[in-house]
Amino acid sequence: MQTTILVGTTKGAFLVTGKNGRDDWQISGPYCDGWPINHVIGDGQNIWAGGGGDWHGAGIWHSDDGGQTWEVTKLTKGMVDDWAANDTDFAQAIGWTDAPLPFGDAFGQIWSLGHVHGTLYAGTKPAALLASRDLGKTWKKLDGLTNHASADSWNPGAAGLVLHTIVGDPANRDKIWIGISAAGVFATEDGGETWERRNRLSNAESCGQHDHPAAPANGETGHCVHNMMRAPGDEDRLYQQNHHGVWRSSDGGRSWDDITDGLPSTFGFPIRVHPRDPDTIWTLPLNGDSAGRYPPDAAAAVWRSRDAGGTWEAQRDGLPQQSCYFTVLRQAMSGDTQDPAGIYFGTNSGSVFASIDEGESWDEIARHLPTILAVEVLENQNHSA
């Protein structure tokens, strides 16, 4: 089985491919013309990369041959379009055409992607959810979320008001969960027509009082969700790393339990669930939002729980234990489905670390990449780029 790590960075997308299963890693890229790429996902030979920014506008790149060739679908305009529209020489130099863009200037970036039962979803900044049923060629906005009754109260996080996490149900195409910073968790059970906000604490009295603005309040978890993942199995069990704590829900997000006890910090970005065991999860705590956002004591560790967050253990073998000041962002941890399961994460210092024994030991399989924004895994692919 061939494993390819899909890496989104501030300077394009990269593929890190294990030529011999999960060994002998080779790097190819950058792809996507050096665009900032916030998220990359794949399904078979199809790979999608979403990103953009003030200069490029928002767009989604697509490769249908495992990453050998790429084509972009631009969704909104950027500064480059304004420049080209007023400078024919510049327009000719970059091959710009005055083609209409489907969403004008409605949003500036694609922040997240999800492929659910044949439909491709994209989350934007500012927060909206788009859907495509033709592999990303055409898109529509799901107005049921944008027009939610709570929309006027949504507050941006430090990176803006971003829809950063899209979670599907493998057994039900109509059930989707999304995370917005800082508006919390929303869920639909009718394919996106209507949405329910799901941030309620299972036991508000047990959470005590916190001074931090992102902490639980008024009977709800903090609304600054950082990342969320559904556990395998028939239950609607979800885990989230929040700006303030790690949380578990056993009822599809309708109520949440705090499982932070035992971790060195309430703050972190990613969360990962085992592909077969709903009780095994990994997270990567950082020392705090205003304390540098690096591993506690400048010693890197991925923390694993095998009892659904009841207890935690630090996994450090192979990770830097001195003078480690990197950050691992919300979409920058992923895993494969092999046995034992592989876990992978990327850092803002440009390294990718891999464990093929469920976190017991780690190897640095790529270094000196641009700032890494996202890591996902593509399996069973014959990549030759």
Side-chain angles (χ1 to χ4, degrees), residues 210-247:
H210 302 277
D211 294 330
H212 196 287
N218 302 317
E220 295 192 334
T221 67
H223 290 170
C224 193
V225 180
H226 281 179
N227 193 244
M228 177 173 58
M229 190 171 178
R230 185 184 185 276
D234 295 333
E235 297 181 2
D236 277 343
R237 186 189 295 183
L238 300 171
Y239 295 93
Q240 67 159 290
Q241 170 69 64
N242 195 282
H243 194 108
H244 197 282
V246 181
W247 301 82

Side-chain angles (χ1 to χ4, degrees), residues 138-153:
T138 61
W139 293 86
K140 72 171 184 177
K141 184 162 67 78
L142 301 186
D143 291 325
L145 177 64
T146 309
N147 297 332
H148 192 273
S150 67
D152 288 344
S153 69

Side-chain angles (χ1 to χ4, degrees), residues 35-41 48-52 59-61 110-113:
W35 279 40
I37 297 298
N38 291 315
H39 202 196
V40 192
I41 65 171
W48 297 274
I60 297 171
W61 291 80
I110 298 298
W111 258 71
S112 57
L113 297 168

Side-chain angles (χ1 to χ4, degrees), residues 241-285:
Q241 170 69 64
N242 195 282
H243 194 108
H244 197 282
V246 181
W247 301 82
R248 181 189 66 236
S249 173
S250 298
D251 54 10
R254 293 177 176 85
S255 63
W256 294 91
D257 294 301
D258 188 351
I259 56 172
T260 313
D261 190 32
L263 291 171
S265 169
T266 59
F267 184 83
F269 284 108
I271 192 113
R272 183 68 193 173
V273 186
H274 194 283
R276 291 170 296 278
D277 179 5
D279 291 337
T280 296
I281 52 178
W282 295 265
T283 190
L284 207 154

